[in-house]
């Protein structure tokens, strides 16, 4: 019989530390709302257990995730690859991805996070109890495609769609909303996972820490379960969000919405839909738990060597604080240099794909910021009625654009350190995810 155990931990950073955001160099002067790690442990005593850990962070480096898995596995005796750590992708958390030459990764916070992860996982295992599961799918529109197309054939991110040169949006959006939860024999909700797609950038560039809309949605959901004393673990799986944004860019009203309204709009929409779906969800009493994974070896796109000479010159000028160098120019130059120096000797990246079956519900994970079309393709091919999707899980491999996105370039399309995977990467992820899902469905 299936058992579930859950836990939640506050993972706030010290004030005065640098905030994660590609073109922002601000420090946190306050904590607007708590950053959390939430834990969801599943075991049926027959198959290998699975531990989901969901952190309010932009994305944890693959080598760090590997270390965390090993520590938790050694401490609790869990299978190492059954520990799947994902992130909500808030842009107002600690510095976890090196996307700016002026600051490094916050190793001190990572050291503290390691202990929080171990303690939270132990708590989730310790309180595991018999449960039934519930799952459902609905609709909650919080994310919109952000890749703008122009009459000269170029594509850019989140630009002015009122320009006479604008020729439409490049890709799709997927507003489907998914929920998975466990409840004990007293009908008490133990933990909730919900899944939608949007970049948490409501407060991008602000000087405070915030979990953004996933954090407020979590708070609103908890308020509906007062018997849990606001400690209900709520995990937010952000999937297929690589080419989307909170704003509907072609709308003339997009720029009229301030940061606070945007933050609240997204949170209230998904919290309300999650609560509605829980009320109408399919329940299963004795679901089978199965987990399989595959590590893909994906080639890396290296930058043009002639362009690199210009990039090194740009970085030299930036070091001298020359004001003629724009921050986006620096960002691209730094991204190409870092890509070259990291992968020129071995242009291959490891991309782990996980598929988990819990009854007639499935969860698929990948370590990328996938473009939305890939998530649509996986769900279209999935044999399960409900398939949750979690990007930036079990490491971080950066943006994964479609072929058209990669060919048209721009931020999240051009080859830089955090958009490094080869053109075929997303298509291989789709094929592998579908293969694993069908394998699970046959067991």
């Amino acid at each position: 019989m299936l058992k579930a155990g859950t836990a939640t931990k506050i993972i706030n950073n010290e004030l005065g530390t640098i905030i994660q955001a590609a073109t922002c160099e601000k420090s946190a002067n306050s904590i607007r709302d708590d950053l959390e790690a939430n834990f969801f442990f599943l075991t049926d005593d027959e198959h290998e257990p699975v531990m989901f850990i969901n952190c309010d962070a932009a994305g944890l480096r693959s080598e760090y995730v590997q270390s965390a898995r090993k520590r938790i596995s050694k401490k609790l005796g869990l299978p190492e690859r059954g520990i799947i750590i994902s992130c909500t992708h808030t842009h107002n958390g600690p510095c976890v991805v090196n996307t700016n030459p002026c600051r490094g990764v916050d190793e001190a916070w990572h050291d503290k996070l390691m202990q929080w992860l171990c303690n939270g996982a132990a708590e989730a295992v310790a309180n595991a109890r018999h449960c039934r599961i519930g799952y459902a799918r609905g609709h909650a529109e919080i994310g919109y495609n952000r890749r703008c197309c122009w009459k000269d054939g170029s594509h850019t991110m989140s630009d002015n769609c009122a320009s006479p040169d604008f020729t439409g949006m490049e890709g799709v959006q997927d507003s489907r909303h998914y929920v998975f939860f466990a409840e004990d024999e007293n009908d008490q909700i133990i933990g909730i996972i919900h899944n939608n797609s949007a970049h948490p950038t409501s407060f991008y560039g602000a000087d405070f820490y915030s979990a953004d809309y996933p954090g407020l949605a979590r708070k609103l959901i908890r308020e509906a379960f007062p018997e849990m004393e606001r400690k209900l673990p709520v995990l937010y799986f952000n999937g297929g969000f690589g080419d989307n944004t909170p704003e509907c860019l072609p709308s003339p009203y997009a720029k009229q919405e301030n940061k606070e309204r945007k933050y609240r709009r997204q949170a209230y929409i998904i919290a309300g839909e999650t609560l509605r779906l829980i009320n109408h969800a399919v329940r299963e009493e004795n679901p089978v738990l199965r987990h399989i994974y595959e590590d893909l070896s994906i080639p890396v796109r290296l930058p043009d060597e002639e362009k690199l000479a210009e990039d090194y010159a740009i970085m030299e000028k930036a070091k001298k604080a020359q004001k003629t160098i724009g921050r986006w120019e620096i960002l691209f130059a730094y991204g190409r240099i870092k890509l070259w120096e990291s992968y020129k000797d071995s242009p291959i990246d490891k991309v782990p794909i996980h598929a988990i079956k819990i009854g007639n519900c499935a969860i698929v994970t990948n370590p990328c910021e996938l473009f939305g079309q890939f998530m649509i393709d996986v769900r279209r091919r999935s044999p399960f009625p409900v398939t949750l999707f979690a990007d930036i899980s079990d490491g971080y491999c950066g943006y994964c654009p479609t072929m058209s996105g990669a060919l048209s370039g721009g931020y999240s399309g051009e080859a830089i350190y955090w958009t490094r995977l080869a053109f075929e990467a997303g298509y291989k992820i789709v094929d592998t995810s579908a293969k694993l899902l069908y394998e699970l469905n046959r067991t």
Side-chain angles (χ1 to χ4, degrees):
M1 187 173 182
L2 190 70
K3 294 180 182 178
T6 55
T8 184
K9 293 291 179 186
I10 304 297
I11 59 170
N12 291 331
N13 201 5
E14 299 292 332
L15 297 184
T17 46
I18 297 293
I19 286 172
Q20 175 77 49
T23 58
C24 171
E25 298 175 13
K26 290 186 179 178
S27 300
N29 295 322
S30 62
I31 297 172
R32 190 185 190 284
D33 52 275
D34 286 329
L35 305 176
E36 293 186 9
N38 283 272
F39 305 77
F40 204 129
F41 174 67
L42 292 166
T43 180
D44 65 3
D45 297 326
E46 294 182 19
H47 304 98
E48 288 192 342
V50 177
M51 171 76 73
F52 294 108
I53 303 175
N54 186 234
C55 301
D56 288 326
L60 297 172
R61 293 164 296 164
S62 298
E63 58 270 24
Y64 179 84
V65 168
Q66 291 169 17
S67 296
R69 289 195 323 242
K70 289 178 180 177
R71 286 273 297 272
I72 296 169
S73 174
K74 183 177 180 180
K75 178 175 181 176
L76 301 178
L78 300 177
E80 183 182 326
R81 296 306 299 271
I83 301 163
I84 303 170
I85 304 173
S86 64
C87 294
T88 61
H89 200 59
T90 178
H91 284 56
N92 273 82
C95 223
V96 292
V97 181
N98 195 352
T99 56
N100 191 310
C102 300
R103 59 174 186 234
V105 170
D106 192 329
E107 300 294 356
W109 178 80
H110 280 82
D111 289 343
K112 290 185 288 186
L113 178 65
M114 187 71 73
Q115 193 59 52
W116 286 323
L117 295 181
C118 289
N119 292 344
E123 186 178 324
V125 170
N127 68 30
R129 54 196 185 272
H130 292 306
C131 73
R132 71 177 66 87
I133 63 164
Y135 49 86
R137 62 179 181 178
H139 180 92
E141 189 173 287
I142 61 167
Y144 307 87
N145 191 271
R146 70 181 186 179
R147 299 268 301 174
C148 303
C149 306
W150 309 100
K151 68 181 183 181
D152 65 358
S154 65
H155 296 198
T156 59
M157 181 183 74
S158 300
D159 225 323
N160 179 20
C161 298
S163 166
D165 292 338
F166 176 67
T167 58
M169 305 305 294
E170 176 190 280
V172 298
Q173 73 179 63
D174 186 354
S175 298
R176 285 174 290 183
H177 189 75
Y178 291 74
V179 173
F180 171 86
F181 60 93
E183 54 190 14
D184 64 19
E185 294 169 327
N186 298 315
D187 299 328
Q188 175 73 58
I189 296 276
I190 298 171
I192 298 169
I193 300 173
H194 61 160
N195 168 211
N196 207 301
S197 306
H199 263 80
T201 54
S202 301
F203 304 118
Y204 185 92
D207 62 350
F208 51 74
Y209 284 125
S210 170
D212 210 287
Y213 74 83
L216 178 55
R218 184 168 59 219
K219 177 177 180 289
L220 295 169
I221 291 167
R222 285 173 176 166
E223 289 176 353
F225 300 93
E227 66 277 10
M228 293 290 287
E229 298 179 348
R230 304 194 179 187
K231 295 180 181 179
L232 176 67
V234 180
L235 292 72
Y236 179 67
F237 285 176
N238 208 346
F241 66 92
D243 57 348
N244 72 19
T245 183
E247 302 92 4
C248 181
L249 294 172
S251 168
Y253 305 105
K255 300 301 181 184
Q256 296 179 15
E257 186 178 53
N258 63 32
K259 295 180 178 181
E260 185 71 23
R261 273 183 56 193
K262 183 196 309 180
Y263 159 76
R264 293 188 176 277
R265 168 177 55 80
Q266 292 180 284
Y268 276 85
I269 288 171
I270 63 171
E273 183 66 351
T274 292
L275 293 172
R276 185 187 75 83
L277 290 174
I278 288 173
N279 195 45
H280 295 281
V282 172
R283 262 79 168 175
E284 283 193 55
E285 292 287 346
N286 296 296
V288 173
L289 173 67
R290 292 276 281 113
H291 166 227
I292 52 178
Y293 65 91
E294 184 171 332
D295 293 329
L296 301 180
S297 291
I298 303 290
V300 167
R301 291 186 287 157
L302 294 177
D304 182 85
E305 292 188 44
E306 292 184 6
K307 180 66 176 174
L308 281 169
E310 299 177 21
D311 292 330
Y312 281 108
I314 288 171
M315 295 309 299
E316 281 300 315
K317 290 180 181 179
K319 288 178 184 178
K320 298 175 183 177
Q322 293 190 15
K323 294 182 179 180
T324 55
I325 308 297
R327 60 182 184 176
W328 283 102
E329 190 177 5
I330 293 172
L331 184 72
F332 275 93
Y334 175 69
R336 283 188 290 263
I337 291 170
K338 186 170 176 60
L339 172 61
W340 174 256
E341 294 180 348
S342 300
Y343 286 95
K344 61 183 171 59
D345 296 326
S346 180
I348 298 290
D349 215 345
K350 186 173 82 170
V351 180
I353 309 299
H354 293 261
I356 303 92
K357 166 185 174 178
I358 316 109
N360 285 315
C361 177
I363 298 173
V364 181
T365 79
N366 73 89
C368 306
E369 296 182 52
L370 280 189
F371 276 30
Q373 184 63 56
F374 296 129
M375 181 174 66
I376 291 172
D377 291 344
V378 170
R379 285 182 169 152
R380 178 178 53 82
R381 291 173 60 175
S382 174
F384 292 89
V386 169
T387 303
L388 284 80
F389 207 90
D391 282 5
I392 47 177
S393 299
D394 200 14
Y396 180 71
C397 294
Y399 288 102
C400 186
T402 58
M403 185 72 77
S404 61
L407 289 172
S408 58
Y411 189 79
S412 73
E414 182 177 333
I416 53 179
Y417 180 75
W418 47 95
T419 312
R420 58 183 178 261
L421 298 179
F423 289 176
E424 68 266 26
Y427 304 94
K428 287 188 175 181
I429 290 172
V430 171
D431 281 338
T432 302
S433 299
K435 179 184 71 174
L436 295 178
L437 288 168
Y438 270 87
E439 185 176 335
L440 287 178
N441 194 49
R442 297 185 186 105
T443 60

